[in-house]
Every structure is written in C-alpha cells, then in structure tokens.
Amino acid sequence: MQHNNPDLTTHNAPQTTNGVPLEMREAAKAAERARLRQGIMHVRIRHFYCTLEEMFDPSLRGQSFVVGTGTGRPNEPGRVIDASPAAVHLGVSPGMPLRRAHRIAPRTRFLPASYDRYQPVLQRLRERYRAYSRIIESVPIADTFIDLRGCELTFDSPVALAAQLCAEIAAMRLTALIGIANGKAIAELAALMSRKDGRQGVLYIPPGREASFVQTLPLSLLLQLRAAGTGAPGSLPDLAEQQESHGSNPPEVEGKSEQVDSVAVAEVVAHLRDFGITTFAQVATMNQEGLHRRLGRLGSWLYQVACGQDVSLVVPDAPPLSQNARVRFHHAADADETCAAIRRLANYLGERLREQRLKGQVIALMLWPSRFVRRETRKLIIDEEGEEIAVTSAEETISGQMTLNRHTDDADVIAHHCLMLFAHYHTPGSRYLQVQVRIGDIIAITQVYYPPLARVRGSRPTRKL
C-alpha cells in the first residue's frame, strides 16, 4: 500500500486559501492598499473660533455669541468670522456683516478674533496633519487638504485613517468633519455631508461613485466651500488661464488654482435658481456649452463637478523662509550665560526643524548689549536730486550670519557656528539683554511633490509650445 508523504505534499504543492494561491492573494492585497492610497482627505473644524473662545471663557458655553473681524463691535464695519450654534439657530451665519447680525440677533454677544491665542492650537493641528501625510494644503484657518499618496502610515482603509484623525482632534476638544474623495471639491462636499445629528463624522466617496453622490446634493452647498472663497489655493480651477475645451469635452485643469471669491459663486447659484435649477442633478442634465456661454468657465467647472469629474489636486504648502527663537534675560547676562542660552536655542531650533522635516543653510546670530553700543554703518541712499549720498547710522544690536556648505538640521552644527559668531562679535566685559538665533534658506527634506497632470477621461491632450 502506497502512502503519501504529507511533508513532500506540502512543499511541492502551492499554498492556497479557498482555492486561491497565497501569492495572488498577497498581490491583490498590495494592489488594494495602493488603490486606497489614491485619494484626498478634507478636514474641516466645525465652529473653530467659537470652540476656542469657549475654552478661554467657559461662561460662553451654550450662549449666543459671534466672533467678528476688527474690534468685533456691531456698530463698526466688519463681518462675522464664526457664530456659535445658538447664534446660527437665530439666523446668524459666517460672512454676514456685523451690523446685519446685530439686527437679526440684538442680544447676541460680539467678540473680536484673538489670533495670538489661536496660534498654539493651530500649531498642534498642523503637526497632526503633517503626521498623516507629507502632502498637505492648508486652508484658512484650521482646515486642510491631505493627499493620501503622501501618507507613510499603514492603514486598512481611508475611513479607518480618518476616524483615527477624528479621535485625535476630538482629544483637543474640537469637532472635525472629514470627507474623502479623488478631488478636492468633492472631498469638501463630502466633509459637509459627514455630520449626522450634530456629531463628528467621516464620509468616504469610493472611486466611481462621485457622480451619484454629488447629484444628490443641492447647489446651495457651493456657498459653504471655503476653498472657493477665501483666496487660498482652492477647489475651483484656474479660470483665467484655462484653455478652451474642444467640443463637449470638459477643460483640463493643471497646477494650482487661483482665487474665485464667494461673490462670484453666489451670483452663479442665484442665477441658476432664477431658472429653477437648484440641484447638481439638474446641472448634470444640461449642456456644457450652454453653461459655458452663460456662466463662463465657472459654468464649465460646475458641470464637471456635477458629473463627478473632479480633477483638482493638492498643492503642498511651501516651507517657511526661516525659523528663529529668542531668549530675553531678566538681568544683564555675561558671556557664559549667553553661550548657554545660544546652546539651548540651537537645540530647540534643531528639534523644530527635524519635526517639520526641514533643513537650513544660513545661520544668523543677533545680540542686544546691555549698554548702548554705537556701531557706525554707512549706506548709500538717493537724495531728492537723484544723487547717491553716504549716511552713517548707529545700531543698537550686534548681528552676523554665515552660510554653511550644505543644509543641516543638526543642533550641534547650529550651536557650533552660532558660538563662532558670538566669539567674533563679543568684546571682553560686554553683557547682553537678549540673544536670538535664526535659521534661513530653509528647504524641505522630502522631495517637493509636484502632482501629475490630471486629465479627464475622453479629453483631448493639450499641445504646448
């Protein structure tokens, strides 16, 4: 009787799961993970200003109040930046003039925006966003677009990743609305629809479902697209330089979009409402050429979104020009104390550069002596007759800088060169009130991401000279 060797059978036959080879299943999973990474996540913070004001003043919770521009007073020119849920229930909306908001809700409390107090929270939010992707585009003031192609985290689905980010933002006592789609405009529309009965939520629009999702929405949602009216790089295409479309094919969108103010969008919505067109589904049944003739290229973009064809791309934020930090002494510090402060500043700036994945090449040091130090500086200026004259001026600060051979984020390198500058400018017996270190000529460590040219299916290629 012949017996089969189970060990030989295991090694000779390919491993299968439900009849499918294991290698094919792993390849399918890898392809699925790659497909899931193709998407754009829009994060919107709900009632950002009002939530922060409630953190600063707990007595505002549940009250009707408004955060406005300028002094925030209703008897002065200005607009509503944000309104509390109670004020929104009374009819106040962001963007409304303060005087009109006061007429609608006269007992509402009006507050000015305190941008200085918002900065720490904004910095924490941006650090959270950068942890999820190296390709982010900020939208004033706390919203952002996150390209999942730049995500270095491992995740099973975009919904799980967005839910994790939602939980982290909720830990900061803020409410996030997140929408995920293949384009910025549809992702922002998904974020607006992600809120259910007042709770934070996540809405994911899978590829191929964009048209069916958009055509269930009213056109009035266009008025809530912040990226379309804030002057930031937004969802709307470049209306000034976009090429004419050929036939019925929608125009192509390449690169970064420019500002399309909310007034133009409101005029388009009002114009279509006059003809009884109030939904995206009605726009999708219209002729694109007719929309283009009546509304211009904005009409072509509107038809494109109504058909689920969103080709807008995330353009990463530019790195800052410089990073600086300063120490103010409570007394006149000697050379040893100043050198110790320089070392602390170098450590702080090095850590900040590494967190933001940046490097700098120019290192500058600025000192404030305890007594007036007169340094004669000669510079040329043009007089009234157009002649160059030399003028001497006295400076109260001592400053110098040097350029390194290559960019760095090493705190030891920064401290070494700052101490070299200090040894060059320091005079025996001098004491200092302040010291500042600045890192300039900053570049991003990761290669700058340039999104590929997006083309609509069926459109003709663009010829370039």
Side-chain angles (χ1 to χ4, degrees):
M1 184 175 181
Q2 186 179 1
H3 296 278
N4 292 330
N5 190 340
D7 295 335
L8 294 178
T9 305
T10 303
H11 287 288
N12 293 336
Q15 299 182 6
T16 60
T17 304
N18 296 331
V20 180
L22 185 60
E23 294 181 356
M24 294 182 61
R25 291 179 60 86
E26 293 297 332
K29 289 182 179 180
E32 180 67 13
R33 286 193 296 267
R35 185 187 68 82
L36 291 176
R37 288 182 182 273
Q38 305 296 320
I40 296 174
M41 181 188 303
H42 175 69
V43 183
R44 167 169 291 200
I45 306 299
R46 186 166 175 259
H47 296 295
F48 176 77
Y49 293 91
C50 292
T51 303
L52 292 188
E53 291 295 339
E54 290 177 356
M55 293 182 187
F56 304 144
D57 186 3
S59 64
L60 293 174
R61 294 177 182 173
Q63 302 297 321
S64 174
F65 66 96
V66 166
V67 179
T69 60
T71 61
R73 299 175 181 175
N75 58 344
E76 296 182 5
R79 290 189 173 272
V80 176
I81 300 177
D82 196 6
S84 65
V88 172
H89 183 71
L90 295 176
V92 180
S93 60
M96 179 183 297
L98 292 176
R99 295 176 179 175
R100 181 182 174 189
H102 182 65
R103 291 196 299 268
I104 295 175
R107 296 187 178 182
T108 297
R109 185 174 176 181
F110 290 81
L111 303 174
S114 304
Y115 297 102
D116 294 338
R117 297 196 295 177
Y118 303 155
Q119 288 304 318
V121 181
L122 286 173
Q123 183 64 25
R124 290 177 57 191
L125 279 174
R126 294 190 180 103
E127 291 175 356
R128 285 289 84 216
Y129 298 152
R130 293 191 186 98
Y132 280 81
S133 177
R134 66 179 185 274
I135 309 171
I136 64 172
E137 179 181 342
S138 301
V139 181
I141 182 172
D143 302 346
T144 190
F145 291 100
I146 302 176
D147 197 329
L148 297 183
R149 285 174 289 188
C151 180
E152 299 177 354
L153 304 175
T154 57
F155 60 92
D156 296 331
S157 67
V159 177
L161 190 69
Q164 179 181 344
L165 179 58
C166 247
E168 295 180 1
I169 296 177
M172 301 171 59
R173 299 166 60 186
L174 298 173
T175 302
L177 308 178
I178 299 182
I180 310 170
N182 280 339
K184 290 195 297 185
I186 297 181
E188 192 168 2
L189 290 173
L192 292 173
M193 298 303 296
S194 64
R195 177 172 53 89
K196 299 297 181 182
D197 59 21
R199 296 179 299 179
Q200 60 194 28
V202 177
L203 182 57
Y204 173 51
I205 309 301
R209 302 288 184 86
E210 294 88 356
S212 59
F213 163 71
V214 174
Q215 292 175 14
T216 62
L217 306 177
L219 282 177
S220 58
L221 284 180
L222 288 176
L223 303 178
Q224 302 183 39
L225 294 185
R226 296 178 181 175
T230 57
S235 302
L236 298 182
D238 188 344
L239 304 182
E241 300 179 359
Q242 193 176 30
Q243 296 187 4
E244 296 287 345
S245 58
H246 301 277
S248 61
N249 296 329
E252 296 178 0
V253 181
E254 298 181 1
K256 203 168 189 175
S257 55
E258 63 180 22
Q259 175 183 4
V260 180
D261 60 325
S262 56
V263 177
V265 178
E267 290 178 352
V268 169
V269 174
H271 182 78
L272 293 175
R273 189 186 300 117
D274 293 340
F275 290 90
I277 302 171
T278 59
T279 63
F280 283 97
Q282 292 174 301
V283 175
T285 60
M286 301 176 66
N287 185 277
Q288 182 182 358
E289 294 182 357
L291 284 173
H292 181 79
R293 286 195 302 268
R294 183 171 293 274
L295 303 176
R297 292 185 175 88
L298 185 57
S300 298
W301 172 84
L302 181 60
Y303 177 84
Q304 202 173 355
V305 174
C307 294
Q309 300 172 348
D310 185 6
V311 294
S312 52
L313 301 171
V314 176
V315 181
D317 297 335
L321 298 178
S322 64
Q323 297 271 15
N324 60 81
R326 179 186 302 186
V327 169
R328 294 181 175 89
F329 302 107
H330 296 289
H331 59 281
D334 57 10
D336 293 338
E337 292 179 284
T338 306
C339 290
I342 291 175
R343 180 67 201 189
R344 294 197 304 270
L345 292 175
N347 292 336
Y348 172 75
L349 289 176
E351 182 180 358
R352 185 196 293 183
L353 290 175
R354 288 189 296 272
E355 287 178 352
Q356 302 180 19
R357 300 179 183 178
L358 303 174
K359 287 186 177 181
Q361 190 175 16
V362 177
I363 297 178
L365 178 69
M366 184 173 292
L367 301 168
W368 281 261
S370 60
R371 66 178 184 276
F372 179 79
V373 178
R374 186 176 184 84
R375 299 178 63 237
E376 299 296 337
T377 303
R378 297 177 64 85
K379 59 181 179 180
L380 293 177
I381 64 173
I382 305 299
D383 60 5
E384 297 178 356
E385 298 179 357
E387 299 291 337
E388 292 184 352
I389 58 174
V391 178
T392 60
S393 61
E395 297 181 354
E396 297 184 4
T397 59
I398 302 174
S399 60
Q401 69 178 27
M402 61 174 57
T403 303
L404 307 181
N405 294 331
R406 58 182 180 179
H407 292 77
T408 183
D409 58 359
D410 192 346
D412 293 334
V413 175
I414 298 173
H416 173 71
H417 289 84
C418 287
L419 293 175
M420 288 177 59
L421 290 171
F422 177 77
H424 178 75
Y425 290 102
H426 173 69
T427 56
S430 297
R431 292 177 173 270
Y432 305 95
L433 299 177
Q434 299 182 46
V435 58
Q436 177 176 320
V437 176
R438 181 177 65 86
I439 311 298
D441 192 14
I442 291 180
I443 62 172
I445 297 177
T446 55
Q447 185 178 3
V448 179
Y449 174 77
Y450 294 98
L453 299 179
R455 300 187 185 278
V456 181
R457 182 178 301 174
S459 62
R460 299 181 181 179
T462 302
R463 297 182 59 187
K464 294 185 177 181
L465 297 179

